[in-house]
Amino acid sequence: MSRDTLLDAMLPHVTFDGWTDTSFRAAVKDAGLSEAEAKAIAPRGAIDLAVAFHRRGDAAMVAKLKETDLSGLRFRDRVATALRYRLEVMTEREAVRRASTLFSLPNHAAEGGKLVWETADHVWTALGDESRDGNWYSKRVILSGVWASTVLYWLGDDSPGHVNTQAFIDRRIDNVMQFEALKGKLRENPLTKPFMDMQTAVFGRMKAPVARDDVPGTPG
């Protein structure tokens, strides 16, 4: 039996009991597994399935992006489209809410941060980002913040079709683009150019990680 099958068995229980041992045991029973078989699939139990749930959403987003021709869109609209696709595959809203609560706990916050980072990384990679210096990090840091705030907004958004969340995404990305425009103006200003050159030099010495697991939030 696959982890996806066990995850599917657990999702109905998550709505009522969260990503807990109670839900995990119920899923194991529903799937007809022994405890040993379940632990072989998800050694940490519910937390492993919560991680799998998040990564399933990332994979669905990437698949949808690969099927879509975004060449006619401005780059900021490509990013916005990617985030909208990620929201569209989040059909289990209460499971997402419960996962957000789980990953906000101190003992799981690092893993939650890593998952948010992974989502941002998948977006940039799918959109063809080729940066290998400090920009690799800054793009993902900024988009991680946009995505994390978008999820929190979406969880409280009851507008038809979540149109308010769509507008929220546009505002956040516009803010990012304004920041990038500001950096360009600072580079052109004789008074601030030396400071921007210093920042560029520092970022230029940074390199993107070779392994995907070598990212912020990865447990040591």
Side-chain angles (χ1 to χ4, degrees):
M1 178 175 291
S2 69
R3 180 171 292 186
D4 277 339
T5 302
L6 185 55
L7 172 58
D8 288 337
M10 184 164 173
L11 282 172
H13 300 285
V14 170
T15 300
F16 301 100
D17 296 312
W19 297 94
T20 62
D21 289 341
T22 299
S23 293
F24 184 72
R25 287 193 297 269
V28 171
K29 181 179 179 180
D30 290 349
L33 296 174
S34 68
E35 182 178 347
E37 290 171 329
K39 286 298 184 181
I41 295 172
R44 296 182 299 166
I47 182 67
D48 278 340
L49 294 185
V51 170
F53 175 67
H54 182 96
R55 288 176 174 163
R56 174 190 282 183
D58 282 349
M61 173 195 67
V62 171
K64 191 163 185 177
L65 285 172
K66 288 181 178 179
E67 297 171 353
T68 307
D69 181 8
L70 303 176
S71 60
L73 300 179
R74 295 177 299 169
F75 198 82
R76 55 93 57 222
D77 293 328
R78 297 179 193 179
V79 176
T81 297
L83 296 186
R84 290 191 179 97
Y85 284 175
R86 186 61 178 85
L87 286 177
E88 287 175 7
V89 302
M90 287 161 48
T91 56
E92 302 282 349
R93 192 175 188 183
E94 188 59 30
V96 175
R97 188 189 309 278
R98 297 280 192 153
S100 298
T101 299
L102 174 70
F103 289 119
S104 67
L105 298 175
N107 54 325
H108 297 310
E111 188 145 28
K114 179 176 182 291
L115 291 173
V116 172
W117 179 280
E118 285 182 8
T119 299
D121 181 42
H122 282 304
V123 170
W124 282 116
T125 301
L127 295 181
D129 176 44
E130 297 180 351
S131 61
R132 303 304 299 167
D133 56 8
N135 286 319
W136 188 93
Y137 292 94
S138 63
K139 287 178 178 179
R140 285 154 180 80
V141 167
I142 292 171
L143 192 57
S144 291
V146 171
W147 175 241
S149 62
T150 295
V151 172
L152 292 177
Y153 190 95
W154 174 79
L155 286 172
D157 179 16
D158 293 323
S159 62
H162 302 298
V163 293
N164 289 343
T165 301
Q166 312 298 331
F168 178 82
I169 291 173
D170 286 334
R171 291 195 301 271
R172 289 304 310 272
I173 292 179
D174 282 341
N175 290 340
V176 171
M177 300 306 292
Q178 289 169 9
F179 176 67
E180 291 299 316
L182 174 61
K183 288 198 299 184
K185 292 179 180 179
L186 291 175
R187 290 190 185 97
E188 297 172 358
N189 189 318
L191 295 177
T192 54
K193 185 177 184 302
F195 299 101
M196 298 305 293
D197 289 344
M198 186 183 304
Q199 179 196 59
T200 300
V202 171
F203 270 42
R205 290 194 292 270
M206 299 174 67
K207 301 299 180 184
V210 176
R212 184 173 291 277
D213 286 343
D214 185 19
V215 298
T218 302

